[in-house]
Amino acid sequence: DESAREEGGEKGEDDGLTVAQALLFFPSAFVLATVYSESLALFCILLSVTLARRGRWWGAGLAGAAVALSRFNGFLVLLPLFVVALASWRSERRWRPLPGLLLAAAGAGAYPIYLWVRFGDPLIYLHLHSAGWPQHPRFFGFFLWDVAKAVVGVLGGEGLPRNVQTMSRTVFPLNIAVIVLLSWALVASVRKRVWDETALLAGGLLLAISAGNLDGAVRYGLLYFPLFRRLGETFAARPVVRSIAIPIL
């Protein structure tokens, strides 16, 4: 873990271990061993942000492009990269980060451009998804209302609303839990003033609650590594919390 490497010593090693525990005991961690691209995307986004923090912008840009090409929500890597680049520019007044940012942006735009050239619609994935499923992207302000209706439906025995019918009664609370954890990690990152990680969490949370449904949040959340950083730090600082949370996870 990058934080363990920076802090060093026994405390840094403990934090790195607990971050790994938080990731590997996460309910959807098994996805990292499947044919899904989450494991590749997680590795690449960690590599991209780490290289950017160290000022190696060409490598950061290439890794960022790989993130954007491997996951639909991979374009969010641009947010922490931009924050790190802005901090670098303020301290050095140089444009060293620009090539890396352009590389990452090129990766984010490559697939939509291909879809535009091939099918005439850069967002055909979203349009086909909306046509085949009852979910449609919605303004995030409706999120709480959707969740409230779903909870009432489950508790009242009426079943899930139509926009969350694709989820089972087991997966639905897990997706809600991921949203809650992302919100908590966002607040914790703001308090720690880790702005690049804050930007990634904010973007991921906004995307999740604007998608019109929560289906897959428990899997897509694996990309947002600051969540596991904050969980690991909490586990290291409060062993009692770790002893309770790990069995639950």
Side-chain angles (χ1 to χ4, degrees):
D1 179 67
E2 181 67 15
S3 61
R5 189 180 297 273
E6 290 174 355
E7 294 174 14
E10 185 176 347
K11 181 180 183 301
E13 294 176 1
D14 289 344
D15 285 354
L17 176 61
T18 53
V19 169
Q21 289 176 336
L23 172 62
L24 296 178
F25 282 93
F26 201 66
S28 57
F30 69 92
V31 172
L32 299 176
T34 68
V35 294
Y36 289 113
S37 60
E38 268 77 6
S39 55
L40 174 62
L42 178 61
F43 169 76
C44 289
I45 196 169
L46 279 168
L47 180 62
S48 180
V49 175
T50 298
L51 290 177
R53 289 172 174 175
R54 296 178 180 180
R56 301 178 182 178
W57 282 99
W58 285 99
L62 288 173
V67 178
L69 288 170
S70 62
R71 288 295 312 149
F72 174 75
N73 57 340
F75 70 92
L76 293 173
V77 70
L78 294 172
L79 298 178
L81 290 184
F82 177 78
V83 172
V84 177
L86 183 61
S88 176
W89 183 83
R90 285 180 174 177
S91 62
E92 300 179 3
R93 297 292 176 175
R94 298 174 61 183
W95 295 98
R96 286 178 53 200
L98 186 59
L101 290 176
L102 292 177
L103 273 174
Y111 190 55
I113 290 175
Y114 165 76
L115 294 177
W116 188 19
V117 173
R118 180 68 176 82
F119 301 103
D121 184 359
L123 300 178
I124 190 172
Y125 170 81
L126 294 177
H127 295 156
L128 291 177
H129 187 278
S130 298
W133 284 27
Q135 294 90 357
H136 303 279
R138 303 180 65 193
F139 178 64
F140 67 89
F142 293 102
F143 170 73
L144 292 177
W145 175 246
D146 290 339
V147 171
K149 289 193 298 183
V151 171
V152 170
V154 171
L155 295 178
E158 300 176 359
L160 296 172
R162 189 167 181 265
N163 62 334
V164 292
Q165 283 178 356
T166 56
M167 293 185 288
S168 69
R169 290 172 182 255
T170 301
V171 177
F172 174 70
L174 286 177
N175 285 320
I176 292 293
V178 169
I179 298 298
V180 172
L181 285 173
L182 285 174
S183 303
W184 165 80
L186 174 61
V187 173
S189 296
V190 170
R191 294 181 63 181
K192 291 177 69 70
R193 305 177 71 87
V194 188
W195 301 121
D196 52 351
E197 297 181 3
T198 298
L200 178 61
L201 288 168
L205 185 61
L206 183 61
L207 182 64
I209 64 178
S210 301
N213 74 98
L214 297 179
D215 199 3
V218 69
R219 178 162 63 91
Y220 301 146
L222 290 171
L223 183 65
Y224 309 128
F225 70 90
L227 167 60
F228 307 105
R229 289 277 300 272
R230 302 291 88 81
L231 284 173
E233 291 163 357
T234 301
F235 290 167
R238 299 176 176 85
V240 174
V241 175
R242 175 173 55 180
S243 63
I244 296 174
I246 292 297
I248 292 175
L249 293 175

